[in-house]
Amino acid sequence: MLEVERLSAGYGAHQVLWDVSIRVGDNEVVALLGPNGSGKSTLMNAISRLVERFDGEIRFNGIALHELPPYRLLRVGLSHVLERHRLFPYMTVLENLQLGAGPGASRALIQRGLERAYALFPRLKERAKQLAGSLSGGEQQMCAIARGLMSEPRLLLVDEPFIGLSPHMRAEVTEAIRRINAEGVAILLIEQNVPVALAMSHRAYILREGRVVLTGPSAELAAGDKVQKAFLGRLNPAEAPAGNAA
Amino acid sequence: MSDQLIAQLVVSGLGMGFIFALIAIGLTLIYGVMEVVNFAHGEFLMIGMYASYLAYVTWGADPVVSLPFIALLMFVFGVAVYYLLIRRVLTGSMHAQIFATFGLMVFLQAAAQFFMGADYFAIQNSWLSGVITIGDVVLPMPQIAAVVGASLATLLLYALVFRTSLGRQLRAAAQDAQAASTLGINPSTMYALAWGFGSACVGVAASLLSNFYYVFPRVGAVFVLLAYVAVALGGFGSIHGALVAGLLIGLLQVAMGFFVSSELKFVPVYMLYLAVVLLRPRGLFGRM
């Protein structure tokens, strides 16, 4: 579904990603792991065209994403829930959700999306007329995920959905992500907590200093101590089978 | 004092107030969506007024008839200014943006002087000239037209911004352009539309104003300074704020002009401005 080939990207003269290759298959949940500043968010933002690409290719169901401006991605079936939810604070929950369906969305699509959103997170229905900025952190994250689903994407990018959430909210959001995946949406996920991320995903990539240093099925990675080594930098990027997805 | 006098003062104050408000709403719309101050905003008003005047003397088109066309013309003009000038300086420093619109102001004034000369022109005997008499209250028609026309235009803009899908997209781009772009919204298109709608507001104000005010190359400065005050008073980027502050300014200056002295009519306006800036720097209303 998503294929990132030897991607180099960064900000102006500052290169952050070096030759990164990752894949997300149909119906897969793939986790991006790595220490702070390893380039996880930059990779995700480069996929959704918010960060400048220096070299490499990004393909999504055969479409060259790297040739599209960011606002075209929704229409090809890719949706990105940005870090720190990024709701429009001075708009209502309902307006935020309506915007998620994209410009020119049909009433039917919006209606379907709202029903799905409210089924996934019932409390959003109670909060529909409230300003998004007035919600609690957990509710805002729910609203952001629901907004990301409104366009009925094939692939959902979710950047740190659990940051600042209470354990109860974490469980609710985790369950929602499972259900979204069960409905046939592939998910690329960034999460700091390694055990949580590995438990939720089918496969994982570990990034360090802008390079993929380790990849494999999450169950295998959870068993050994390779992930720890990769985090601590004891695994040389050159030795790692970067991009050769399991 | 008589009811008649009070009615006249209120109508005249609201007439000017709505004009200020409409100009200020245009300004605050552009600022609210992209945080660029249009220093050439007064010159947009001047262009609209010349267009109204020229339509009248060339084709005999009364301002009432030409109003929608002038709004449309100014919409197109605003969009063109965005694509030809503003978009090119957006990634530059803030100084580049300031000097771009400031330069546009100087250019448009000079161009008006070149093509139209420095003379004052006024539309004589338009449909909306004269007075209307209700009982023994005599009210000036152009000011009533300004109140009605400007409030309708304001209502339309409110409906557009707060009730339509397009308005939602505009507000989304205003609040978080990057997040908006991940939702399929092209921020640059929204910026262009903000310039278009903001300029169309000035176009409507220009058309209404041309019923009772003369046009000359520097006419923009007379009104736009008060529009800036209205924007700052109301809170930068706030449409409600610009509307309330515009009306307040209109009423204040007419009341002061009548009861005290017309030379002092702007004194309470600027005193109020200073008080608000000192006590509540973000203006009366926070945000759009």
Side-chain angles (χ1 to χ4, degrees), chain B residues 22-237:
Chain B
L22 208 48
I23 300 169
I25 286 171
L27 203 55
T28 214
L29 186 69
I30 294 170
Y31 181 85
V33 171
M34 60 188 309
E35 302 196 358
V36 169
V37 176
N38 179 19
F39 285 102
H41 208 63
E43 282 52 50
F44 285 29
L45 181 82
M46 175 264 291
I47 290 172
M49 289 179 75
Y50 272 119
S52 181
Y53 171 76
L54 289 174
Y56 186 72
V57 294
T58 315
W59 298 303
D62 193 89
V64 176
V65 177
S66 63
L67 185 145
F69 297 99
I70 286 168
L72 187 69
L73 173 83
M74 292 312 293
F75 179 90
V76 172
F77 183 73
V79 170
V81 166
Y82 170 75
Y83 280 117
L84 297 177
L85 178 68
I86 306 303
R87 194 176 55 145
R88 290 158 201 275
V89 297
L90 264 188
T91 49
S93 72
M94 205 180 135
H95 299 102
Q97 295 171 17
I98 290 172
F99 286 120
T101 62
F102 195 82
L104 184 64
M105 172 190 95
V106 174
F107 171 75
L108 292 176
Q109 266 186 26
Q113 186 135 353
F114 179 78
F115 287 111
M116 302 297 297
D119 294 339
Y120 290 41
F121 298 105
I123 292 175
Q124 312 283 342
N125 303 316
S126 73
W127 296 349
L128 294 172
S129 58
V131 295
I132 182 170
T133 313
I134 307 165
D136 55 352
V137 182
V138 182
L139 299 171
M141 267 301 271
Q143 270 85 348
I144 291 180
V147 172
V148 174
S151 51
L152 281 178
T154 309
L155 267 177
L156 263 177
L157 187 81
Y158 261 89
L160 174 84
V161 171
F162 294 103
R163 290 277 176 270
T164 68
S165 164
L166 188 65
R168 249 191 336 256
Q169 293 169 42
L170 268 172
R171 283 178 293 142
Q175 289 174 30
D176 189 336
Q178 196 182 49
S181 76
T182 67
L183 301 177
I185 296 164
N186 181 355
S188 191
T189 307
M190 294 301 121
Y191 297 159
L193 287 175
W195 276 84
F197 291 128
S199 307
C201 284
V202 180
V204 174
S207 177
L208 293 168
L209 197 57
S210 69
N211 278 311
F212 62 98
Y213 209 87
Y214 37 86
V215 54
F216 57 104
R218 301 179 64 85
V219 68
V222 177
F223 291 89
V224 84
L225 190 57
L226 285 160
Y228 287 126
V229 170
V231 168
L233 256 183
F236 269 88

Side-chain angles (χ1 to χ4, degrees), chain A residues 10-36:
Chain A
Y11 307 88
H14 179 56
Q15 186 166 350
V16 178
L17 299 176
W18 310 77
D19 270 346
V20 171
S21 300
I22 69 165
R23 265 184 357 101
V24 179
D26 290 352
N27 282 333
E28 257 193 322
V29 179
V30 174
L32 286 179
L33 297 167
N36 280 329

